[in-house]
Each structure stands twice: as C-alpha cells, then as structure tokens.
Amino acid sequence: MKIAFVGKGGSGKTTLSSLFIRHLAANEAPVVAVDADINQHLGAALGLSEEEAVALPAMGAHLPLIKEYLRGSNPRIASADTMIKTTPPGEGSRLLRVREENPVYEACARPVGLDDGEIRLMATGPFTDSDLGVACYHSKVGAVELCLNHLVDGADEYVVVDMTAGSDSFASGLFTRFDMTFLVAEPTRKGVSVYRQYKEYARDFGVALKVVGNKVQGEDDLDFLRAEVGDDLLVTVGHSDWVRAMEKGRPPRFELLEAENRMALQALQDAADDSYAGRDWERYTRQMVHFHLRNAESWGNAKTGADLAAQVDPGFVLGEPIGAPRVG
C-alpha cells in the first residue's frame, strides 16, 4: 500500500514518517521509503550520516532511465521523451513491484539498515540553486509520480512517501496515489490550516485522510485538535525522549521507544491496512488517466509536441488482482 506523510514545515512530519518506517521494519514488512520533501531529511532521520544522506542518488537525475524502463514495449508511447510525470501504464508497460530487483531500484534506491531490518530508500533530490527561477518543486517529484503510477503493491507491502504539504501534489494528481494520507498537525491555527487545504482539495477524489496530532502537551491541545479536525483526528503524539536522542544522532534501539508512541504507530498501520482493503483499482486507474489528460491539455502536448491523450490505453486497469500484465 502507498502512504503519504504531509504537514507544514516544522510539524514533525519527517520524524513521524521515519518512526513509522522503523515500526514497519520492526514488524518485518517490506518497505520502500521515498523522500519527496523539498528539504531532504528522511535519510538522516533514518540514521544515515550527513555524507551518506548527501550521497543518495536523485531520482530526478535518472528520469530518462526511469521513463525508458517503464515504457517497455507499450506501443502507445512513441518514445521515452514523450512521457510526462502523469503518463499512465498500458499493455506492454513495465510495472514496478516492492519486492523485486529492477534497473529503477538499482539506479535510484539504496538499502538502509535499521535495528529490526532493512528498507529501500529513494530520494527526489534537493532543490538546488540552479533550479531557482527555472523550475518549480512539482517538477522535482515527477519521477516519484511516474513510479507510483506504474507500481503494483500488495496489502502486506508498504511504500511510504515523505511529502511536501503545498499545492504541488494537487497540480498533477499525486495526492490521489495514496491509500492513506497522514497529515501531521500541531495544535495551532497554522497547523490545522494545512489540514483544511488538503481536506478541500481531496474532498472530490475519495482521498483517505487522517490527522496525527504532534507536540500535544495536554488536554487543552487535544481539545483544540478535536474541535478543529473532528473525526479525522486519529492519534496524538507528545514528548518523546527517544526522539530527542534520535535528533542528537544517538537513538537507543527502536524497541525502547515509549509504549504509548509504539501504540500510536500501530494505530497508523491499522488505519492504512484498512484503507488499502477498500482500494478500487478501476477508480485508481481512472483518476490517473483523468489527471494525465488534464496535464496533457494544459502543458504536456505543447512541451512534447505529441498528442499525449493517445498514450491512454482504454482497456488497461492497473493491478494484478484484475490481471495486469507482468512485463520485464
């Protein structure tokens, strides 16, 4: 299943996504983690040194390879150059799977050893000085969206994406690619404003959204969040000595994380599992096509010089349960 963590800067989004990844690894679940935040901190939160985190390959730098591999023998895609971030798969496309080895993982993913297992970590790459004035950040996460559009994931597999909270993911449909979106919110007006933005955009697309209250210090904070987000509030997290030690670069073994916080992480996993159980592959594919056609008309056709609507395979529905092809 695919899970996103979003939240305003400083909300603790990356910390909580890293804790959730550690929790899944401790439960022996296969995990692909993706750092798609404009500030790349997930690697460090998972225990990488600064040098190791900087050395992570940038998915954007390998976009030609990703496109060529995913294109496969799809006859509707004339060349990899005509693929954009929303290009959907069709018959002949290569699909990605969480537990396989493939050229995309070889180029873009690196193993990260945790206390209780190993996960794959991928990163979009940082927003650099050369991007200023010529690129917006949703162009950096295009490789992530393309991979998610071609990923067949199962109920016992997890793809966890540490996202930005801005409007970038709404421009392309990236926000519809997840079975569950966890919005990390502090008990402040600014904290819940991000929630309202996501709720408004996601309302018409059936996006599963739950709020994780972070930095909650007492009943007043809890009452505030309950009043502002209602039933969307799933769990709250308060002070953690384990997290404080982690932020100093000296985390104890994960099994020593406070019991109440481990229970909160299990509640996140249970909510994600329940949401995946209701996944409708036909709707999932239909939304993918909807946003591709919108992007093709607004900018994709002009940029590539091709009619990108022709890339849509009307008979194709992503998902092995309904017989999607296994290619490559």
Side-chain angles (χ1 to χ4, degrees):
M1 66 199 69
K2 305 180 181 79
I3 300 161
F5 280 81
V6 300
K8 77 173 185 65
S11 66
K13 168 182 60 66
T14 297
T15 296
L16 281 169
S17 60
S18 72
L19 291 177
F20 185 62
I21 291 165
R22 290 175 186 268
H23 167 79
L24 294 174
N27 286 346
E28 300 183 346
V31 179
V32 174
V34 183
D35 191 345
D37 196 349
I38 192 169
N39 298 306
Q40 305 268 285
H41 296 310
L42 184 58
L46 290 171
L48 297 185
S49 68
E50 184 176 344
E51 293 76 15
E52 291 170 329
V54 170
L56 288 171
M59 294 177 69
H62 295 281
L63 192 54
L65 179 151
I66 293 171
K67 289 181 177 180
E68 191 61 54
Y69 179 76
L70 297 179
R71 174 186 169 225
S73 59
N74 186 335
R76 295 176 178 274
I77 302 176
S79 71
D81 291 338
T82 64
M83 293 179 73
I84 62 174
K85 60 188 176 181
T86 56
T87 294
E91 186 170 356
S93 297
R94 290 192 179 97
L95 305 178
L96 302 175
R97 290 164 182 82
V98 171
R99 302 189 221 208
E100 70 178 0
E101 300 296 334
N102 60 56
V104 174
Y105 290 156
E106 182 179 349
C108 302
R110 293 295 180 264
V112 176
L114 303 174
D115 290 343
D116 300 292
E118 185 177 272
I119 60 102
R120 278 179 169 141
L121 176 60
M122 306 172 75
T124 60
F127 200 67
T128 63
D129 290 342
S130 62
D131 295 316
L132 296 177
V134 297
C136 52
Y137 194 67
H138 62 75
S139 66
K140 306 290 282 187
V141 299
V144 176
E145 183 165 4
L146 198 56
C147 286
L148 292 180
N149 280 351
H150 289 74
L151 178 66
V152 178
D153 51 312
D156 58 345
E157 302 169 330
Y158 296 84
V159 179
V160 181
V161 183
D162 183 16
M163 286 287 299
T164 56
S167 60
D168 295 328
S169 61
F170 302 119
S172 63
L174 181 57
F175 71 104
T176 67
R177 299 300 84 200
F178 302 103
D179 299 289
M180 176 59 71
T181 296
F182 292 123
L183 192 147
V184 181
E186 299 171 83
T188 64
R189 286 188 296 176
K190 287 185 178 179
V192 299
S193 67
V194 177
Y195 160 78
R196 294 197 186 96
Q197 180 190 36
Y198 244 84
K199 188 78 171 178
E200 179 181 352
Y201 276 107
R203 181 178 294 114
D204 296 332
F205 293 93
V207 173
L209 177 68
K210 289 295 182 182
V211 173
V212 181
N214 194 28
K215 305 178 185 178
V216 175
Q217 297 182 6
E219 284 298 320
D220 185 62
D221 286 347
L222 183 57
D223 290 343
F224 174 82
L225 287 172
R226 284 174 174 162
E228 294 294 329
V229 308
D231 292 339
D232 285 338
L233 181 63
L234 179 62
V235 293
T236 61
V237 179
H239 173 79
S240 169
D241 290 334
W242 194 97
V243 169
R244 180 60 61 88
M246 179 196 75
E247 291 173 342
K248 294 177 180 177
R250 301 193 297 268
R253 286 192 60 82
F254 185 66
E255 63 192 27
L256 298 177
L257 180 70
E258 298 86 356
E260 60 271 21
N261 289 330
R262 297 206 68 159
M263 290 176 62
L265 295 173
Q266 185 60 54
L268 300 188
Q269 184 178 1
D270 292 343
D273 289 350
D274 289 345
S275 184
Y276 178 87
R279 181 191 285 183
D280 181 341
W281 284 102
E282 290 190 4
R283 185 183 72 175
Y284 189 83
T285 305
R286 188 167 59 249
Q287 289 178 339
M288 188 191 312
V289 169
H290 168 77
F291 282 100
H292 178 63
L293 295 177
R294 280 179 47 174
N295 278 261
E297 182 178 355
S298 63
W299 61 270
N301 292 343
K303 180 176 181 179
T304 63
D307 177 13
L308 301 185
Q311 294 179 341
V312 176
D313 183 343
F316 183 89
V317 179
L318 183 67
E320 288 187 307
I322 51 174
R326 292 187 66 91
V327 180

